[in-house]
Amino acid sequence: MGKKKCHLIIPGAQKAGTTWMHNTLEFQNEFWCPPEKQEIHFFDRYYDVGYKEYEKIYKNTSNKKITVDVTPAYLCNP
């Protein structure tokens, strides 16, 4: 079994429908969104802790699910 990872990153502007997108994907059987919070903020706030910490978010997901990170702030982050 390979490492778990995020398959789909959804950046976007605030008030542009990212919460709607998250809520829609969350109720689809093919997708898995982190249940603790919608916005992960790994790449704009927590990147310095290392990618292994990001992988831990997805460690308990099924290999058959498309994993999702919906964090609008990524759009503004170089």
Side-chain angles (χ1 to χ4, degrees):
M1 181 185 304
K3 289 184 179 180
K4 302 293 179 86
K5 59 184 177 181
C6 180
H7 296 105
L8 178 62
I9 295 175
I10 301 175
Q14 291 183 350
K15 306 296 180 196
T18 53
T19 297
W20 174 85
M21 178 68 75
H22 176 269
N23 292 341
T24 300
L25 294 175
E26 188 174 37
F27 290 102
Q28 303 300 314
N29 288 331
E30 298 87 4
F31 294 91
W32 183 88
C33 299
E36 294 83 26
K37 57 186 174 181
Q38 173 185 330
E39 299 180 17
I40 302 298
H41 286 284
F42 176 77
F43 293 102
D44 62 335
R45 295 182 187 170
Y46 306 112
Y47 188 76
D48 292 342
V49 300
Y51 193 73
K52 288 185 181 193
E53 290 300 314
Y54 187 60
E55 289 178 327
K56 286 180 184 179
I57 296 168
Y58 302 98
K59 70 180 179 180
N60 294 322
T61 62
S62 165
N63 287 333
K64 296 178 181 181
K65 299 272 186 175
I66 298 168
T67 54
V68 181
D69 176 353
V70 179
T71 304
Y74 293 162
L75 185 65
C76 300
N77 189 329

